[in-house]
Amino acid sequence: MKAPHNLRKACASALSDEVMCAAVGKMANILSFVRGAAAASYPGFEKLRDWGRDRKMEVSANLEFYARRFAGRLEAAGGVAHFARNGPEALKIVTSIAADLGAVSAVKSKSMTTEEISLNEALLDAGVAVTETDLGEFIIQLAGEKPSHIVAPAIHKNRAQVAQLFHEALGSEPGLGVEELVRVARRALRKRFLAADIGITGANFAVAQTGTIAMVTNEGNGRLTSALPPVQIVIVGIDKMIPELSDLPGFLTLLTRSATGQAISSYVTIITGPRRQGEEEGPRQLHVVLLDNGRTSLASGPFRQMLHCLHCGACMNNCPVYRTVGGHAYQSVYPGPMGDVLSPLLWGMEAYGDLPDACTLCGRCEEVCPMRIPLPDYHRKLREIREEAKGAPPGLKALAPALLAGHPLFYRAGLGIVRRILSRGSRLPSAILPAVAGEWTICRELPEPGQGRDFRSWWADRQKGPDRNGEKS
Ligand code: SF4
């Protein structure tokens, strides 16, 4: 089990990093803006969102059927399908393939599913050196960090920091500009592509009808990872299934416009089976690990629509909390609004039970989510589950319904006491208010009761009849 997350501490430490806060705020702002422009410029985008949600509803209602269908079609095309119930099983499958091949090096394109199961660490333990080939992932691998965004993993770093990192790790000149930095990374990565025994990728979509894998990248590293090494291993969550190949254009449109505001990403790599006779490129072996890791049980529960997530990152780009504290404060592979929900569902409330509190319930995440996942409802539901599990103190639990809610006299007396406390509290100087009324009041005023009419007197008047009810006056 993961160590319990401490949201308050993590946020405090994130807020003290001004460079990170500025970098995340700036990039999230840009990504949010381009997503808005891309959605507005596509007639029918809202209808497409409805279509996408309905197609994914069909998949999440029949997850096992589509995963098995995919596996059958993949094998018919010459690939090998492996089912993994959880992370350890997936790691065992991948490390066994590597051991059978005598592999010592692997290149990898960006995949949050491999982060979810800590694949790099397992391969390293098995004697396989792994190189991340997505530029953002390459940067954070050199820095010894974890991704802070599911689409832009190094969003928290600025150019000067990357230049310094490359100078120290790769021996490049200090203070390089963006284009030169890209050139340095390309030179370093090319050698590793050519030497790699295995290419490891994720998948944005897995087409059940044809056993096809589809990946979107902007750097072409996904294509090189899948085309150059002799063996490709794909790790894909079974939630990534789509029913038919004809669904792919619609989902690609939803994904790329929501993620980076692009009509289409620079590269869309579509793979059906390994290299065939007469073909000049592509892996000679193609293994696809179909990972469950809690997805089947999500499909039958109240959070089913989390399985529809396209990992576009739009919810985090638009979230006021994520934009302020950045991704590392969530201390999870999945940050932002989708991570607040997914992390406790995947790794338990004990470890991540405080993450649903990293939400102001402003509703912006649901507005921009291409799959219309009801994220604010899910945050609320998780809070309820957590509080119900805690339970009220036994004394209060027994007394509250019986005394306060059960007897109008006690209820009215209780309200009067609360009113008096609130009215005194609201007059306290703001410097000492938080000590008395809690941290909620650090940046808010305590409203003074009695301003305007209270519900009970309004209701009493209303009961007296239409002429004398408060609505008319
Ligand atoms: S929850 Fe929605 S907006 Fe957030 S990453 Fe998933 S698909 Fe994108």
Side-chain angles (χ1 to χ4, degrees):
M1 198 195 70
K2 304 221 168 198
H5 179 263
N6 188 327
L7 178 65
R8 191 171 297 221
K9 227 163 135 187
C11 286
S13 128
L15 290 171
S16 66
D17 185 343
E18 284 176 22
V19 176
M20 182 280 292
C21 289
V24 170
K26 184 177 160 196
M27 272 314 291
N29 213 11
I30 294 171
L31 288 170
S32 159
F33 175 80
V34 294
R35 178 259 162 216
S41 67
Y42 187 89
F45 193 71
E46 295 308 308
K47 273 201 183 131
L48 191 64
R49 291 173 71 191
D50 293 337
W51 168 86
R53 180 196 50 203
D54 294 347
R55 287 308 268 162
K56 279 287 190 175
M57 281 288 192
E58 159 64 21
V59 172
S60 60
N62 302 286
L63 213 47
E64 198 186 336
F65 166 78
Y66 282 111
R68 297 223 166 265
R69 189 168 194 215
F70 171 88
R73 300 296 155 92
L74 169 76
E75 301 216 322
V80 186
H82 307 260
F83 282 91
R85 276 173 300 181
N86 49 39
E89 278 192 14
L91 296 178
K92 201 166 160 205
I93 293 165
V94 178
T95 51
S96 304
I97 296 170
D100 288 349
L101 294 166
V104 293
S105 70
V107 283
K108 196 166 153 274
S109 70
K110 195 174 79 58
S111 151
M112 296 312 293
T113 314
T114 60
E115 295 284 344
E116 183 183 315
I117 59 172
S118 303
L119 180 64
N120 287 10
E121 291 81 348
L123 281 170
L124 213 58
D125 286 349
V128 182
V130 185
T131 303
E132 294 286 352
T133 62
D134 170 88
L135 181 58
E137 289 278 357
F138 182 60
I139 290 168
I140 57 165
Q141 187 180 36
L142 288 180
E145 294 176 12
K146 290 282 176 192
S148 66
H149 188 285
I150 58 173
V151 173
I155 193 173
H156 57 289
K157 293 206 175 294
N158 64 20
R159 184 206 52 79
Q161 287 176 319
V162 176
Q164 184 59 26
L165 181 68
F166 279 18
H167 172 59
E168 286 164 16
L170 304 172
S172 60
E173 292 294 313
L176 293 182
V178 173
E179 277 186 31
E180 292 154 313
L181 288 171
V182 172
R183 222 169 284 137
V184 171
R186 192 185 294 138
R187 266 201 302 272
L189 288 172
R190 192 131 297 186
K191 290 181 213 145
R192 304 199 198 177
F193 277 121
L194 293 170
D197 301 307
I198 306 176
I200 299 172
T201 71
N204 293 99
F205 302 103
V207 185
Q209 179 196 27
T210 52
T212 299
I213 286 294
M215 285 188 293
V216 300
T217 65
N218 274 317
E219 299 160 20
N221 63 308
R223 187 159 292 180
L224 289 174
T225 303
S226 56
L228 289 180
V231 176
Q232 183 186 359
I233 304 176
V234 183
I235 322 285
V236 58
I238 52 174
D239 52 311
K240 293 292 177 64
M241 294 295 144
I242 57 173
E244 294 174 8
L245 202 55
S246 59
D247 293 319
L248 192 55
F251 279 115
L252 285 173
T253 302
L254 286 168
L255 173 61
T256 58
R257 285 186 186 254
S258 303
T260 48
Q262 291 168 287
I264 190 77
S265 56
S266 306
Y267 297 86
V268 178
T269 305
I270 296 176
I271 301 164
T272 307
R275 184 192 302 199
R276 292 176 191 82
Q277 219 165 6
E279 288 181 343
E280 286 182 4
E281 56 182 38
R284 295 187 190 281
Q285 280 182 42
L286 173 67
H287 297 266
V288 179
V289 181
L290 294 150
L291 178 71
D292 188 316
N293 210 24
R295 286 161 173 82
T296 304
S297 63
L298 267 184
S300 55
F303 300 97
R304 175 177 148 202
Q305 288 187 62
M306 277 317 295
L307 294 170
H308 304 174
C309 178
L310 301 183
H311 289 201
C312 71
C315 55
M316 48 202 78
N317 300 334
N318 284 273
C319 171
V321 178
Y322 178 90
R323 289 160 69 122
T324 307
V325 299
H328 285 158
Y330 295 77
Q331 296 179 342
S332 168
V333 172
Y334 299 117
M338 60 82 86
D340 295 341
V341 177
L342 205 51
S343 306
L345 292 175
L346 289 182
W347 293 293
M349 289 295 266
E350 221 166 296
Y352 285 109
D354 64 353
L355 274 190
D357 290 336
C359 173
T360 63
L361 299 178
C362 68
R364 184 71 183 132
C365 49
E366 187 176 359
E367 278 171 27
V368 297
C369 173
M371 304 309 293
R372 301 198 189 283
I373 299 172
L375 289 161
D377 280 356
Y378 284 180
H379 280 86
R380 263 191 296 264
K381 208 172 281 181
L382 280 169
R383 290 179 192 179
E384 271 168 34
I385 291 171
R386 182 191 62 201
E387 295 311 311
E388 267 166 27
K390 275 193 213 156
L396 185 63
K397 216 170 175 176
L399 281 176
L403 282 179
L404 294 176
H407 296 274
L409 190 67
F410 288 130
Y411 183 71
R412 273 200 295 275
L415 275 187
I417 293 169
V418 171
R419 231 165 215 284
R420 272 199 289 282
I421 293 172
L422 282 177
S423 128
R424 298 237 162 98
S426 65
R427 288 199 289 274
L428 285 173
S430 55
I432 58 167
L433 193 58
V436 181
E439 291 184 1
W440 192 85
T441 54
I442 286 176
C443 54
R444 299 177 185 87
E445 288 177 356
L446 201 60
E448 193 173 348
Q451 298 164 344
R453 195 147 187 229
D454 71 39
F455 172 78
R456 290 175 62 79
S457 69
W458 173 83
W459 182 251
D461 277 349
R462 187 187 157 90
Q463 295 301 86
K464 287 175 194 160
D467 289 337
R468 288 151 71 194
N469 100 25
E471 285 168 345
K472 283 197 159 187
S473 55

